Amino acid sequence: MAVCIAIIGKDNSPQYIATSDLDKELELQYRVHAALDVVEEKCAVGQTPSQDSRDLYIGLLYSTEYHKIYGYVTNSKIKFIIVVDSSNTALRENDVRTMFRNLHSLYTDAVCNPFYVPGEPLESINFDKLVRQIMTGTV
């Protein structure tokens, strides 16, 4: 389902990035970092009042010929970016929302670990395994 999942900290430093294709890892990381500008723009103070400020899901940030990039921002300003293949026509908006909710739950569990240092990259093997299950759609 997803070709890349990234978790970006408050200061826009990557805490976790997983890609499904190692040959395109650099290109996918570029797409994620380019999406951060769109996230900042959409989360800017004074944005349209019609958008519910409690909704963490930002939606489609931008799309390219090969990828669609979606965003999600937590209340603590942690950003989740999911890059999906644009040829995947079976993927609906609800599926992407579910992926973000599952990712947010996994992230919350990972940072609640008493041995995790806030702001450090997430290097848990179990967390990585579960995120890769979200990427393939087996969760």
Side-chain angles (χ1 to χ4, degrees):
M1 291 180 81
V3 293
C4 179
I5 291 181
I7 299 174
I8 310 296
K10 294 179 208 178
D11 56 352
N12 288 341
S13 63
Q15 290 184 343
Y16 176 83
I17 296 181
T19 58
S20 61
D21 187 2
L22 292 178
D23 294 335
K24 296 184 180 184
E25 184 174 11
L26 191 60
E27 176 192 350
L28 292 170
Q29 287 183 11
Y30 171 74
R31 299 270 180 237
V32 166
H33 286 288
L36 291 177
D37 292 333
V38 180
V39 169
E40 294 296 327
E41 188 177 297
K42 288 192 176 208
C43 292
V45 178
Q47 197 63 11
T48 57
S50 62
Q51 183 181 6
D52 186 7
S53 61
R54 294 172 297 173
D55 191 18
L56 303 174
Y57 177 69
I58 297 174
L60 180 67
L61 300 174
Y62 71 95
S63 62
T64 65
E65 185 177 350
Y66 302 109
H67 300 107
K68 291 182 182 178
I69 295 89
Y70 294 90
Y72 183 97
V73 179
T74 67
N75 292 330
S76 58
K77 304 298 181 216
I78 303 297
K79 300 157 201 78
F80 299 149
I81 308 290
I82 294 180
V83 180
V84 297
D85 194 6
S86 48
S87 65
N88 186 356
T89 57
L91 189 68
R92 297 184 325 250
E93 193 84 12
N94 270 350
D95 298 332
V96 176
R97 282 180 182 265
T98 302
M99 289 170 63
F100 276 120
R101 272 190 235 108
N102 291 339
L103 183 60
H104 192 179
S105 177
L106 287 176
Y107 174 78
T108 303
D109 290 344
V111 298
C112 286
N113 181 343
F115 298 108
Y116 173 72
V117 178
E120 292 293 313
L122 287 164
E123 297 175 349
S124 167
I125 295 169
N126 190 38
F127 178 77
D128 184 57
K129 183 179 83 171
L130 293 171
V131 169
R132 292 194 184 273
Q133 287 178 356
I134 291 174
M135 287 176 71
T136 59
T138 57
V139 171

